[in-house]
Amino acid sequence: MSFNSELLRTLNERGYIHQCTDGEALDAAATEASITAYVGFDCTADSLHIGHLVSIMMLRLLQRTGHRPIALVGGGTTKVGDPSFRDESRPLLSDAQIDANKAGIRRCLEKFVEVDGRRGLLVDNAEWLDGLAYIPFLRDFGTHFTINRMLAFDSVRLRLEREQPLTLLEFNYMVMQAYDFLELSRRHGCVLQMGGSDQWGNIVNGVELGRRIDGRRLFGLTTPLITTASGAKMGKTAAGAVWLSEERLSPFDYWQFWRNTEDADVGRFLRLFTELPLDEIARLEALEGSEINEAKKVLAFEATRLCHGQQSADEATAAARSVFEGARDTDAGLPAIELPITRFDDGIDILELLQEVGFAASNGEARRLIRGKGARLNDAVVTDEKLTIAAGDLQDGRLKLSSGKKRHVLVRAA
């Protein structure tokens, strides 16, 4: 389908669109005037991760094309927990945990979009959900949802088919999300909800509720499930989620994640996760052989710049060049820890140091890392499990400790 509005045309060209409730009517609305759209983020952690990044990039694109984004944080829905495509209930969090997570999510979002002012908003659904009276809410809205239809949505049906329990609390989630859309349409003139393909059923419910209750014409748009060329879920690594917060993941490790993109994914990820012009992306994804590594470096730099800023992207690029290409100019950008110089007086046990920098969780795990030739000190493989590191091992007051080829830490004596 071809689109006239800059918003829908760009979303389509870059590969963001999977399903849309009425693409032609939404395109017309976005062509005629500025529209308001939202994406919801539940407060399940104190940082977002790159599994959220497609939705965040859509909010950013919405703002860049003259429309208004709303980032909805689920201070209310987090107390229920989204059951979509999960085999077990999410752990229930305290109000204090939810508030702390909400603050962390705000910091992540502010890197990408303006969320305080006329050009964009950050809204918490606890504003209206926490004050609901249960019986009046059921009377006013419960008649618009049938159990038959709710059971038919994949997010619920697949869980029941796997004979996993679904609590009454979780079953209410899709009603809460539909009500969010209705409230945002009333309060802020929001006409579009965007989200991942796993949210299709919840989004459709909100579109229908707006039509039935207020006679509003609302729209839903979902993005495809992003997997790598090898079929792995995007953003999942052996070490866990790829976080957007520098407190959770250093800019260097974030850069390195993108640098390790599979060859077949480079063009697609450049379109989704950077703002490079499409003709430049076409040139980069046409590179072959070893030259494709240059495209990966561009992807890593641009993605890191958007998330962590120009300086961090420059430092991560320089650090990677130092580590992997033999450049001697700088180790800037590598994760670093400082230890008192007195710690080196009697020597630090290598097993202890591997745990201290986060490369191992126990002595046993540190030993396995060494036995597998995965631990390196100043780029030399560590073979002695009883090694102690003294001040003489420091180079200009520091040493580099590595785990495998991709994880590196500078240890500085202070």
Side-chain angles (χ1 to χ4, degrees), residues 30 58 91 113 133 185 213 225 285 324 385 399:
M58 287 199 301
V113 293
S185 70
I213 298 291
L225 175 66
E285 70 177 329
F324 300 111
E385 298 174 19
L399 58 85

Side-chain angles (χ1 to χ4, degrees), residues 73-124:
V73 291
T77 43
T78 303
K79 298 170 185 176
V80 176
D82 186 358
S84 297
F85 300 95
R86 293 177 60 88
D87 281 342
E88 57 185 23
S89 301
R90 295 181 185 272
L92 296 179
L93 304 179
S94 68
D95 288 349
Q97 288 174 306
I98 290 173
D99 287 342
N101 290 347
K102 183 169 63 176
I105 289 171
R106 170 185 278 274
R107 289 192 293 272
C108 289
L109 290 168
E110 286 175 337
K111 298 177 180 182
F112 295 89
V113 293
E114 297 176 33
V115 293
D116 278 320
R118 294 174 59 188
R119 297 191 65 238
L121 298 173
L122 187 141
V123 180
D124 185 351

Side-chain angles (χ1 to χ4, degrees), residues 207-229:
V207 171
E208 286 295 306
L209 187 64
R211 179 184 61 81
R212 294 182 180 185
I213 298 291
D214 287 353
R216 295 175 184 266
R217 189 167 198 180
L218 305 179
F219 303 94
L221 185 152
T222 62
T223 59
L225 175 66
I226 307 299
T227 57
T228 65

Side-chain angles (χ1 to χ4, degrees), residues 7 11 78 89 103 132 139 210 237 368 382 397 400 408:
L7 172 63
L11 287 174
T78 303
S89 301
L132 288 177
R139 285 178 60 87
T237 68
R368 288 192 291 275
V382 177
K400 184 168 74 174
H408 311 274

